Amino acid sequence: MTITIGRYLKNSRLKLVCEGKTYLYGLPNSVPESVSPSHILLECENEMFRVKNLDINNFTYVEGRGVELKTISRGDRIELGQDHYVVDWKAIDEVIPPVADIRPLKKVWNDFDAHRLDQQIADRRFNSLRSATGLITMAAIALSMLTGRQSAWFVLLYVIAVLVSVAFTIKAYKDASAIPVKTKELNQQFQKKYVCPNCGHFLGNQPYDILSQNVCCPYCKRKFIH
């Protein structure tokens, strides 16, 4: 986006032209004649700004130094003309369409996705370990066929299988209530954080890589910075 900034000849107000629309700022006769009608071009892209002097006869200053073309930061002091007229950033902000910086949401999504993955891995590991009960029982049965059911090894393996089975049953019983609660809390925290920085609406369960492909918020229509 580009904004042409200069003096409105009819009443010497600050004139800003953006995307074919003209905006006036300040009181009549507030801009000195040393500011030309098209004095500078301000290029704006995702909070990055660049000032370009539009005529060799224009005087343009950034932070007190004369410039022809310079990348600047928001809030840098821009002065026009020999009278050093200071451009108010409020005037620029009124012209630039409002934006929403969604870059912090990348970490929110990554943390949420990592927690979900950790839970899935933990569940699969638990199920894998739980299958050990069956293997121990099968080993006890096989041993009994070789040594008889009175064998100390059979009794030991059978007792181990029972104890392991009881332990896994108790853990599964506890997880049956604990895991849904943790999952609910995780989803609630995610829904509170994964929102538009401007309007606060939840942006859904779409990954950040997909969300960042959107131009703007689907609710408030504020342009995304990503």
Side-chain angles (χ1 to χ4, degrees), residues 201-218:
H201 274 89
F202 176 54
L203 296 173
N205 289 314
Q206 55 184 327
Y208 178 81
D209 290 343
I210 296 178
L211 175 66
S212 61
Q213 295 176 10
N214 298 331
V215 176
C216 63
C217 173

Side-chain angles (χ1 to χ4, degrees), residues 2-21:
T2 60
I3 305 173
T4 302
I5 302 177
R7 179 172 58 91
Y8 189 52
L9 293 179
K10 290 185 178 180
N11 56 12
S12 292
R13 297 176 69 190
L14 185 66
K15 180 182 69 173
L16 304 95
V17 180
C18 179
E19 297 180 346
K21 296 182 180 180

